[in-house]
Amino acid sequence: LDGDPPRLEAQVHREPAGDASAARSDSPGGPPGGQAMIAPGEGSAGWVVVHGQSLRINEAGTDPRVVPTLEAERRAGRPVENLLAVPLRADGSILGALEVVNRPGGFDDAAEAFLAAVADELAIALRNATLVRNLEREKLALEVMRDVSRTLLSTLNVEGVLGRIVDGLARL
């Protein structure tokens, strides 16, 4: 993706329990703290998350899939002229979308193929990071259970056992 540096956004699809799904934008030019939440189906990245397909728009102002979100981008000082968004897909599920906007001259097949390859690697890295985080949580839970078991086996002091259980739960 040559030329002036386009803005790059990785938007990760989230499905919080009991809440509507949303995507989080972590872009350097994005809102403070990277906390812009968009619903799947909203805007270009939301469209990509819902449909699982790449989206290339070289005249963003005329495409009905993104026109509703263009005004907010313009007000924020980030007008969108063209964009390319591809799904972040790992293990058969869509985690979110990777989006590049405002490339001089627009986007072509080569740019789309390149961004799709980057998105595939990024999705695997995101999935691996999630797996590592989950393993660390499970390891901590097992350590707490081990400590409680050792205390139970080594003493008949109920207060000591309860204190160890409370300390272990606080670590989780």
Side-chain angles (χ1 to χ4, degrees), residues 138-157:
E138 289 178 21
K139 178 184 174 206
L140 180 59
L142 289 172
E143 288 172 355
V144 168
M145 287 189 284
R146 181 196 65 212
D147 291 346
V148 169
S149 295
R150 283 184 181 164
T151 302
L152 283 171
L153 293 173
S154 67
T155 185
L156 296 176
N157 179 347

Side-chain angles (χ1 to χ4, degrees), residues 5-9 27-30 73 77-80 99-102:
R7 189 173 82 231
L8 177 68
E9 296 182 356
S27 68
E73 291 289 330
R78 301 182 310 260
V80 176
E99 181 177 88
V100 180
V101 299
N102 297 339

Side-chain angles (χ1 to χ4, degrees), residues 82-139:
N82 55 54
L83 66 91
L84 173 61
V86 296
L88 291 167
R89 190 185 326 254
D91 300 329
S93 64
I94 297 175
L95 306 177
L98 182 63
E99 181 177 88
V100 180
V101 299
N102 297 339
R103 181 178 188 217
F107 297 94
D108 57 16
D109 290 341
E112 186 173 334
F114 175 75
L115 193 61
V118 170
D120 289 344
E121 295 301 319
L122 180 58
I124 291 168
L126 288 169
R127 177 70 65 176
N128 288 343
T130 300
L131 291 173
V132 167
R133 185 180 65 231
N134 290 344
L135 285 173
E136 288 172 348
R137 286 181 185 158
E138 289 178 21
K139 178 184 174 206

Side-chain angles (χ1 to χ4, degrees), residues 1 3 34 37 47 55 75 104 106 148 157:
L1 301 174
M37 300 300 285
W47 188 92
L55 179 62
R75 281 193 313 266
V148 169
N157 179 347

